[in-house]
Each structure stands twice: as structure tokens, then as C-alpha cells.
Amino acid sequence: MIPEKLKKGDEIRVISPAKSLAVVAPEQQDLAIERLNQAGFNVSFSTYAAESSHFISNPVDHRVADIHEAFSDPNVKAILTTLGGYDSNQLLSHLDFDLIQKNPKIFCGYSDITALTNTIYKKTGLVTYSGPHFSSFGMEKGIHYTFDHFMKVFTETEPQKIYPAFDWSDDRWYLNQQERQFHTNPGYEVLHEGVAEGTSIGGNLCTLNLLQGTPYMPSLEGTILFLEDDLLSDPFTFDRDLQSLIHQPGFEGVRGMIIGRFQKESNMDDDMLIQILKSKKELGHIPIIYNASFGHTTPIFTFPIGGQVRIEAKKQASAIELLEY
């Protein structure tokens, strides 16, 4: 079930299912609103989006109410999350999936929001999206690639190829917008060559793994896995998190894997990643692309959770193509 694409004048609702909008600097909020307005959209905020919290996140019932309100409101055509965090999975058993299924619309975010995007797809069949948060659009520099892919995915229907970004950054841009370091992106790297089509699933690996053994874990059969992790995932943590996913029922049906670029503080380099991937015989038969432009470095592309994708993993010229999204 693919939601309707956005048109000029459509309303985008901002919700905070993890960290609150209160932690985002006012000038960054203003810039994000301005960018979305200039693209032709109207921005609104949920009742509790900016509620200040003394805990990790705001009360569960407030965050759930905002999700239900956004899906119920016929004027809202897309839902953007404020930010990631640590505890979106607290909400899963409280969500009204019948309500969501009867009111399909765009739902987008990444990082901790992986718990929600994959769960909603599993429980309702609604295609959701791993892509920028609302706060991402408060970035002054290095936002073009992110915004361009966001617009393409949410306003177009034709198959589209995702090309690597020209450069990348791992700065804490939200603390200092001016002192940024951008690095030339050499493009996709390939471990195993091959061509595959399948259903796109995944996002943040450690968050996706929180769904294991629950009714919220999507099937891995016939999938192309998109996996990334943040600076807290060092090589040892990524290794065991990936192994845990490999142990899940249906993993033998995975058709391909795309791994997002790691943050510098994770201390994961290409040699270490290759060593980890080659240590797992279950991966030996599938095409694998790594250093793709999504995850916790910037910029990032948007991809569907539950859409159809095609990958060509070739040493000389790899491609990622969104077929149905």
C-alpha cells in the first residue's frame, strides 16, 4: 500500500515520537519550515511535538496521541518525525494499526524511527520511508542531495536510480553550522557482485533488532536489506548485531544488502567491515554494496520500507534503483 505523493499546498505534520522538538534550536526549526514552505508545502506541528521532557522522551500516551492525530487528520498528507532518540519502540503496543491502515499517508524518519517505520509496514502493509527528519532541514550546508532525494521520492512515481552523493560529512552540524568538513565520496563499494530485486526493509540496525521476537518484526523473505548504524556501534557491536539479524527466521530469503556509511567515531574502516562481512557464510551468495549515502553521516537519500528496489553490485558501476515506492 503506497501512500499518495505530495502536491503543492499539501500539509506536512511534524511529530516527536522520540526526542522532543524542544531540543532543536529555534533558528534551525525556522530554516526547516522555510525550506519546506519554499518547496510548496505547509508545515504544522502535533500537540505535544515540543513538549519539554526531563526523561529520555515525553509520555507514551502523548506521543501515541500525536501519531493517531496525524493519521486521522484528512488535511495531513505526510508525517515527518522531529528527531531520533532511543525509545520509539515504547509506542508499538499502543498504536491503533487499524486507524493507520485506513488513513494511509507518508511517514518518514530514520535512526530510532526505524522501529516505527518497519512496524507500521509489518502491521498494516503501508509503505513507510527511511529519510530525513524535520530537523535535518535545519542544516545550512550540505543539504542539497538530501532534499533532492526527499522531493523525488515524495513527488514522483517513475523508477529512479539513486546515485552516490558527491561528498559527505560527519560533523555535528547542529552545534556549529559554519565549521564543516566535507570529504570527496568515492562512490559505492562492492563486496559481492550480483543483481537482485526485492522488498526494501531496514534502516538503523540496532533499532531494527529491537523488533526481533516480537509481532512487529517484518518478514525477511525476498528482501533487500538497507542497514546502517551510528557512532555507538563499533565493529564489535556491529558484528554481533548483524549476526543476530542473520539468525532471524527467513534470513535465508534475503536477496541483497546495502550498508550505509559509518560515522568516524564508530572506528569502522573498510578493511574491518569487509572482515566482518566475509566471516559470515550466510552472506556469501548475495550482492552487497557498502558506503552508501544513508545513515548518520550526511547527506542521505530517502528509501521506502516495503517498496520494491533493484540493485546492481558491480565493481565498476553499481546502481540502486527504486522501482515502486
Side-chain angles (χ1 to χ4, degrees), residues 205-217:
L205 175 59
C206 68
T207 304
L208 179 67
N209 279 359
L210 298 176
L211 305 182
Q212 293 179 9
T214 75
Y216 311 117
M217 183 73 181

Side-chain angles (χ1 to χ4, degrees), residues 132-208:
H133 300 302
F134 168 73
S135 58
S136 303
F137 297 123
M139 185 184 303
E140 293 180 6
K141 301 177 181 179
I143 189 69
H144 177 77
Y145 177 92
T146 299
F147 196 77
D148 183 54
H149 279 277
F150 175 86
M151 291 296 294
K152 285 181 177 179
V153 167
F154 294 135
T155 64
E156 300 178 9
T157 58
E158 293 299 314
Q160 59 171 286
K161 288 191 175 180
I162 298 176
Y163 297 98
F166 291 116
D167 53 22
W168 63 277
S169 175
D170 190 25
D171 301 319
R172 288 183 169 86
W173 63 267
Y174 44 88
L175 298 179
N176 190 332
Q177 293 267 32
Q178 302 308 313
E179 297 298 322
R180 304 284 307 278
Q181 289 187 335
F182 292 93
H183 312 276
T184 300
N185 184 10
Y188 298 135
E189 303 284 355
V190 172
L191 178 62
H192 299 146
E193 292 189 310
V195 177
E197 287 188 19
T199 303
S200 48
I201 289 295
N204 184 247
L205 175 59
C206 68
T207 304
L208 179 67

Side-chain angles (χ1 to χ4, degrees), residues 40-275:
F41 308 125
N42 298 314
V43 178
S44 62
F45 296 89
S46 62
T47 302
Y48 300 106
E51 183 179 16
S52 184
S53 173
H54 298 292
F55 191 53
I56 296 174
S57 295
N58 290 315
V60 168
D61 57 336
H62 289 184
R63 290 181 281 152
V64 168
D66 279 353
I67 293 174
H68 290 165
E69 180 184 41
F71 274 102
S72 298
D73 191 334
N75 293 319
V76 173
K77 305 304 180 184
I79 303 168
L80 265 184
T81 55
T82 291
L83 201 58
Y86 293 93
D87 54 4
S88 292
N89 67 325
Q90 289 179 337
L91 312 182
L92 303 183
S93 62
H94 303 277
L95 293 175
D96 185 338
F97 294 110
D98 287 337
L99 170 69
I100 293 171
Q101 189 176 49
K102 291 174 182 176
N103 298 278
K105 57 191 66 177
I106 291 165
F107 186 94
C108 179
Y110 76 103
S111 192
D112 189 59
I113 307 303
T114 295
L116 290 170
T117 51
N118 284 270
T119 291
I120 290 172
Y121 168 66
K122 164 63 189 298
K123 299 295 285 185
T124 70
L126 174 63
V127 172
T128 57
Y129 301 88
S130 177
H133 300 302
F134 168 73
S135 58
S136 303
F137 297 123
M139 185 184 303
E140 293 180 6
K141 301 177 181 179
I143 189 69
H144 177 77
Y145 177 92
T146 299
F147 196 77
D148 183 54
H149 279 277
F150 175 86
M151 291 296 294
K152 285 181 177 179
V153 167
F154 294 135
T155 64
E156 300 178 9
T157 58
E158 293 299 314
Q160 59 171 286
K161 288 191 175 180
I162 298 176
Y163 297 98
F166 291 116
D167 53 22
W168 63 277
S169 175
D170 190 25
D171 301 319
R172 288 183 169 86
W173 63 267
Y174 44 88
L175 298 179
N176 190 332
Q177 293 267 32
Q178 302 308 313
E179 297 298 322
R180 304 284 307 278
Q181 289 187 335
F182 292 93
H183 312 276
T184 300
N185 184 10
Y188 298 135
E189 303 284 355
V190 172
L191 178 62
H192 299 146
E193 292 189 310
V195 177
E197 287 188 19
T199 303
S200 48
I201 289 295
N204 184 247
L205 175 59
C206 68
T207 304
L208 179 67
N209 279 359
L210 298 176
L211 305 182
Q212 293 179 9
T214 75
Y216 311 117
M217 183 73 181
S219 171
L220 299 178
E221 290 279 357
T223 60
I224 305 293
L225 288 178
F226 288 70
L227 303 175
E228 59 85 17
D229 228 319
D230 63 14
L231 56 84
L232 297 179
S233 182
D234 60 22
F236 306 103
T237 302
F238 179 80
D239 186 6
R240 69 178 182 179
D241 282 352
L242 179 58
Q243 189 64 56
S244 182
L245 186 63
I246 289 171
H247 286 160
Q248 292 307 294
F251 189 88
E252 64 278 2
V254 171
R255 297 174 181 172
M257 184 179 294
I258 304 170
I259 300 175
R261 186 181 303 280
F262 284 85
Q263 291 187 274
K264 294 176 182 178
E265 289 183 53
S266 71
N267 293 315
M268 178 76 84
D269 58 28
D270 288 355
D271 290 341
M272 181 67 73
L273 178 60
I274 290 170
Q275 182 179 338

